Amino acid sequence: MLDLTSEAALIVVSNRLPISLRRGRDSLVVERSAGGLVAALDPALRRTGGTWIGWPGMRLRESEKLPSVDEAYTITPVPMNDNEVRRYYHGLSNGALWPLFHSFPERTRFDRRDWEIYESVNERFAQVTADELTRNCLVWIHDYHLMRVGPHLRRRCPNQRIAFFLHIPFPSYDIYRTLPWYREVLIGLMACDQVGFHCPGYVRNFLDCAERLLGARVDRDKNLVQFGARTVRADAFPLGIDYEGHERRARSAPHSARRDSHKVILGVDRLDYTKGIPGRIRAFERLLEVYPEHRERAVLIQVAVPSRGQVAEYQALKREIDELVGRVNGRFATSEWSPIRYLYRSVSPERLASLYRDADVALVTPLRDGMNLVAKEFVASQTEDPGVLVLSRMAGAAESMHEALMVNPYNIDGVANSLHQALTMDFQDRANRMRALQRRERRHDLHAWLEGFLSAASGPAAQMRPTALQDFDLWLSPYLRSDLQLALFLDYDGTLTPIVSHPSQAVLDDETRELIQRCGARSDTDVSIVSGRKLDDVRSLVRLPGITYAGNHGLEIVGPGIESFSHEDVPHYQKRIASLAQELEHICIEGAWVEEKGASLTLHLRALSHLDQRSLDSRARELILEAGFQVREAHCALEARPPIGWDKGHAVLYVLRERYGPAWSENVRTIYAGDDRTDEDAFRVLSGLGVSFRIGNTDTPTQATRQLPDVESVKTLLRWLASRPEAPQG
Ligand code: ADQ
């Protein structure tokens, strides 16, 4: 467990730094940024020390260094060029992920080039982070801009403790799955140890997506997800505000002269289509129509901070709001009273404190919002005559702020009615509601949030219970049928035996052999071993009669009822493989070696350092391609395969057709278990027709139906298959 109060440091990674840069006349000018994220994390970093990594908000020239900033922690900038800002930030983050995660699929713009830049910028963030790591530190990544940092960082630092917090909602499965890169984004979060959301509803959505889209194993009681061998904890940590700070500012903020002349309804937002500003103005208009007693008595003050002005949607929204404000003011204004005051700008913390304190009603009506801090800031600032909070049910804040008047922002009449209720509520009712809201927000403030998140993220690593027989009851019972045969395909290395440093050490243990034998001995099950090894090699390792063996990724197959198969093009490539093997041996450095397998070969790189692997890998790829072979990646190895369009997928189909005829899928159920990229070919041909399991860790998307953590869980699968009830004969 990390103790963040002592020597352990915190490394915060977010899109923006807590400062922004501006080019002054002769030097760079540093300004502290405002906003929720900075207010939340700055105190944590001050307490623990550490580093904040992020984009400084402008392009630094080659020679320019970040001016030194007097901070209690280090600030490390991640540079970005204009194209990257356009595609990673405006394109993928704000043009695709932001609308999708807020359940506005019709507003999303998916562009593969944006995704590629998002991926490469995330990798750069990971590299900068890896360079900053200290012994015993916690990396805390923030928000939707950086959901792919995890895997890149994990690859560089396999044992690093990594936490992630999402500040926006996590959408439901139905919406999330429209993202073209849904697997990659989920896998990105799976590389973390702790993933935090604002609300339990978002956690549920995330667990659903992990289970249904990745085939991950989920424990909903403990909020754990197991993906490959990794277990990730996903919990709700509702963000609070610096309650005392807001309360203090409200007590000392100046009073406005016009204070008692009107009832004030206040809206404060970033100008964003998720915040429901047009609907709010319409609801106010409706209030004036239906309840004319509020004319000349109520004022809507709407403060909107300019945001993402380069994005077309935001420009259109600004125009829409301008027009609406004009319409309502034009319709109802008198010489003494203008119904809406619209401030399109950021206001100072003191001014905001006055506005919050003096408002009679806070009208917070987002169409969807991760949390919404404005609702909380209003409550903390209500130090005088208690006002009323009218709050959208679609904000995360609604999950806890029960005493607010809850509204559906899509129901304009309903919001108008609630506004009327708020404006006419008697003192006692207002005071009761406000007291309860204040008590809760004071207790669940920013410090409590930090404490809760950091102690979970630095606590003992999450442990998922081992895969058990009942898991397979759930996954396989609905699929298997007692009147149909089962064709069971098993890869060897990494599936039946753990990955070891030399292939000769991958020996099958007696228990696994016995389980395979028991499966194979059943009248309703046919077992095939499908391996990248030479046929003779895999056969002598498994040593079981009566089952099928496919070697060399299926170029050679032998088994009961199958005529011994060897792909017709194999002899043509054997000589060329032998000479390629020699060429590769020439460039091998100590620790690397070539395994010749007749029609293909494997260059083993496992014993090399990461750096040596990379340099040998690229040289070897060139030689393999020059010799006219295909390159395939395997576990710490490169494979050279003849370009004959034959892989494990073809081998599986060959066995199925030979044994069960061309309409095999009507006569047989199929299960395939494999751990390797080469098994993906088999997963692909069986998708929709069979059930497949990918074993172990992977940080690339898989076509398999489900993930299993390790060889031990494959044994449990075999145990389940060997002991399931057998259909009565005849
Ligand atoms: P935002 O979408 O930015 O945050 P919100 O939570 O309301 O939304 O925070 C806005 C912040 O900006 C508040 O602290 C507010 O005081 C400030 N602000 C708004 N208008 C202002 C103005 N005109 N002048 C000055 N300050 C202004 C995202 C998610 C939210 C989530 C937060 C934190 O969208 O759902 O609550 O992150 O996780």
Side-chain angles (χ1 to χ4, degrees):
M1 175 155 169
L2 291 176
D3 177 7
L4 282 167
T5 53
S6 64
E7 54 196 286
L10 185 57
I11 298 189
V12 167
V13 190
S14 68
N15 172 56
R16 289 299 298 269
L17 284 168
I19 53 156
S20 40
L21 292 183
R22 195 162 51 72
R23 208 176 295 286
R25 188 178 286 239
D26 9 70
S27 62
L28 290 174
V29 182
V30 183
E31 283 162 2
R32 278 196 67 79
S33 320
L37 195 77
V38 176
L41 297 173
D42 181 81
L45 265 175
R46 284 182 181 282
R47 200 184 71 200
T48 61
T51 305
W52 194 319
I53 294 167
W55 176 49
M58 65 168 279
R59 194 172 175 183
L60 294 176
R61 295 190 186 123
E62 276 290 302
S63 55
E64 270 175 340
K65 291 264 163 298
L66 196 68
S68 77
V69 191
D70 177 26
E71 292 287 357
Y73 50 86
T74 311
I75 286 184
T76 304
V78 180
M80 246 183 266
N81 64 33
D82 295 344
N83 185 46
E84 286 168 337
V85 172
R86 188 163 65 86
R87 292 201 172 276
Y88 144 83
Y89 181 68
H90 296 300
L92 203 95
S93 299
N94 290 328
L97 297 177
W98 175 268
L100 188 76
F101 278 53
H102 283 87
S103 304
F104 289 101
E106 71 285 2
R107 286 186 183 263
T108 51
R109 279 177 289 108
F110 298 137
D111 183 331
R112 181 184 43 78
R113 288 160 305 174
D114 290 350
W115 169 257
E116 285 163 4
I117 301 287
Y118 180 87
E119 181 74 14
S120 66
V121 168
N122 271 247
E123 179 162 16
R124 184 174 317 141
F125 269 85
Q127 184 55 56
V128 173
T129 308
D131 294 342
E132 293 290 330
L133 296 183
T134 53
R135 201 178 62 81
N136 217 11
C137 65
L138 172 70
V139 173
W140 190 3
I141 304 165
H142 286 265
D143 231 2
Y144 59 102
H145 317 87
L146 301 177
M147 292 201 280
R148 290 285 305 164
V149 173
H152 294 295
L153 186 57
R154 180 68 64 206
R155 208 168 306 134
R156 289 166 171 81
C157 323
N159 300 319
Q160 175 58 44
R161 186 65 74 91
I162 307 173
F164 181 92
F165 190 83
L166 186 68
H167 290 262
I168 62 176
F170 196 94
S172 70
Y173 162 79
D174 260 348
I175 287 181
Y176 179 74
R177 65 178 160 160
T178 62
L179 179 67
W181 310 280
Y182 65 79
R183 285 203 186 93
E184 286 83 347
V185 167
L186 280 174
I187 289 174
L189 299 185
M190 294 298 160
C192 305
D193 301 289
Q194 171 83 51
V195 181
F197 301 91
H198 281 306
C199 306
Y202 309 157
V203 176
R204 281 196 294 277
N205 288 346
F206 171 70
L207 296 180
D208 276 356
C209 288
E211 184 173 52
R212 298 175 72 177
L213 296 171
L214 288 185
R217 197 154 66 103
V218 163
D219 179 337
R220 286 190 169 71
D221 294 331
K222 298 199 173 122
N223 287 349
L224 300 178
V225 192
Q226 188 179 48
F227 179 68
R230 295 193 46 72
T231 296
V232 183
R233 198 178 1 227
D235 282 315
F237 300 91
L239 178 59
I241 55 163
D242 172 14
Y243 191 96
E244 278 182 15
H246 282 280
E247 190 182 38
R248 199 176 332 112
R249 261 197 301 281
R251 288 196 195 286
S252 59
H255 287 92
S256 84
R258 296 180 39 190
R259 195 177 160 221
D260 296 323
S261 52
H262 295 108
K263 290 249 181 192
V264 172
I265 302 165
L266 178 67
V268 177
D269 310 81
R270 261 186 325 99
L271 189 108
D272 194 295
Y273 54 82
T274 60
K275 302 290 181 184
I277 303 172
R280 187 178 310 166
I281 297 172
R282 286 196 187 93
F284 180 62
E285 182 182 31
R286 193 89 187 109
L287 174 87
L288 300 179
E289 280 169 3
V290 181
Y291 303 97
E293 63 268 38
H294 298 299
R295 293 184 195 172
E296 298 194 77
R297 297 223 167 81
V299 177
L300 171 64
I301 301 180
Q302 175 62 54
V303 192
V305 200
S307 178
R308 303 175 195 168
Q310 292 99 317
V311 182
E313 272 96 335
Y314 290 76
Q315 293 160 5
L317 174 67
K318 178 170 181 313
R319 276 195 303 277
E320 186 186 356
I321 295 172
D322 286 345
E323 282 166 20
L324 272 171
V325 170
R327 186 179 88 195
V328 177
N329 279 345
R331 200 173 150 197
F332 293 101
T334 62
S335 55
E336 300 292 301
W337 168 72
S338 185
I340 304 180
R341 280 183 63 207
Y342 175 45
L343 309 175
Y344 177 58
R345 57 169 177 266
S346 179
V347 296
S348 70
E350 292 69 34
R351 174 88 177 102
L352 195 56
S354 306
L355 285 167
Y356 279 145
R357 184 198 55 213
D358 298 341
D360 297 279
V361 178
L363 188 52
V364 183
T365 55
L367 303 175
R368 191 82 179 130
D369 212 333
M371 172 55 77
N372 193 294
L373 299 181
V374 168
K376 300 189 171 206
E377 293 168 4
F378 167 69
V379 162
S381 311
Q382 284 283 297
T383 51
E384 298 182 0
D385 186 18
V388 181
L389 174 63
V390 177
L391 178 59
S392 160
R393 285 181 210 288
M394 315 302 171
E399 290 210 14
S400 60
M401 302 182 87
H402 312 296
E403 300 79 5
L405 296 187
M406 295 295 175
V407 292
N408 170 3
Y410 290 92
N411 176 359
I412 302 297
D413 292 309
V415 178
N417 290 338
S418 296
L419 257 182
H420 174 68
Q421 186 189 348
L423 288 167
T424 53
M425 195 180 283
D426 69 30
F427 175 83
Q428 207 52 55
D429 199 4
R430 283 185 279 132
N432 273 336
R433 286 172 185 271
M434 190 49 75
R435 244 197 324 271
L437 286 164
Q438 289 180 329
R439 209 176 302 124
R440 187 181 304 106
E441 292 312 319
R442 187 190 293 279
R443 197 168 48 228
H444 300 287
D445 70 350
L446 173 64
H447 307 289
W449 176 75
L450 280 173
E451 214 52 56
F453 188 90
L454 290 178
S455 68
S458 54
Q463 282 293 329
M464 185 87 161
R465 65 168 172 76
T467 316
L469 293 175
Q470 64 263 32
D471 292 315
F472 294 102
D473 282 340
L474 200 70
W475 298 334
L476 294 179
S477 296
Y479 171 66
L480 296 181
R481 273 183 31 189
S482 57
D483 58 334
L484 293 184
Q485 280 294 107
L486 167 65
L488 172 63
F489 294 92
L490 301 163
D491 167 50
Y492 184 80
D493 296 273
T495 301
L496 297 174
T497 62
I499 294 291
V500 284
S501 52
H502 195 283
S504 63
Q505 294 162 3
V507 178
L508 196 64
D509 67 38
D510 292 343
E511 189 189 2
T512 311
R513 182 175 290 106
E514 193 218 315
L515 287 168
I516 300 171
Q517 187 178 24
R518 279 175 53 200
C519 290
R522 291 170 62 108
S523 59
D524 59 1
T525 307
D526 296 311
V527 179
S528 303
I529 310 290
V530 187
S531 171
R533 289 177 182 253
K534 273 203 286 205
L535 181 63
D536 291 346
D537 189 10
V538 66
R539 205 157 35 170
S540 67
L541 286 164
V542 178
R543 293 199 315 275
L544 285 172
I547 65 172
T548 301
Y549 293 94
N552 238 328
H553 301 287
L555 288 171
E556 314 158 288
I557 305 173
V558 62
I562 295 179
E563 268 200 32
S564 200
F565 167 85
S566 176
H567 195 283
E568 58 189 11
D569 291 346
V570 165
H572 175 68
Y573 287 98
Q574 273 169 333
K575 262 210 191 107
R576 284 160 64 180
I577 272 288
S579 67
L580 174 62
Q582 279 181 358
E583 286 177 44
L584 288 172
E585 263 155 20
H586 267 115
I587 63 160
C588 271
I589 47 176
E590 202 182 324
W593 60 281
V594 179
E595 182 187 0
E596 205 189 317
K597 301 187 293 190
S600 71
L601 64 74
T602 305
L603 171 64
H604 292 273
L605 304 168
R606 177 163 294 274
L608 300 187
S609 71
H610 192 60
L611 214 64
D612 285 346
Q613 269 186 20
R614 282 175 75 152
S615 71
L616 186 55
D617 181 292
S618 61
R619 184 74 193 101
R621 276 173 198 268
E622 283 169 23
L623 287 178
I624 294 171
L625 292 173
E626 275 167 24
F629 288 88
Q630 291 173 338
V631 183
R632 294 300 288 264
E633 280 174 34
H635 272 301
C636 294
L638 279 188
E639 305 239 351
R641 293 220 239 137
I644 37 186
W646 190 266
D647 53 38
K648 286 184 175 180
H650 293 87
V652 165
L653 290 180
Y654 180 83
V655 170
L656 288 166
R657 286 187 195 129
E658 283 291 297
R659 189 162 288 143
Y660 310 103
W664 59 270
S665 62
E666 290 165 26
N667 307 320
V668 66
R669 296 303 204 207
T670 317
I671 295 176
Y672 189 107
D675 74 310
D676 202 287
R677 289 209 186 161
T678 63
D679 295 303
E680 291 291 335
D681 298 319
F683 300 153
R684 197 169 309 113
V685 299
L686 291 177
S687 71
L689 298 174
V691 174
S692 50
F693 293 97
R694 172 126 184 188
I695 320 303
N697 278 335
T698 169
D699 57 12
T700 51
T702 169
Q703 301 282 326
T705 327
R706 296 208 155 268
Q707 305 277 325
L708 290 178
D710 48 23
V711 169
E712 220 27 65
S713 58
V714 178
K715 275 194 202 171
T716 312
L717 165 66
L718 293 174
R719 208 169 288 128
W720 188 88
L721 290 170
S723 52
R724 74 200 167 99
E726 209 159 344
Q729 295 293 303

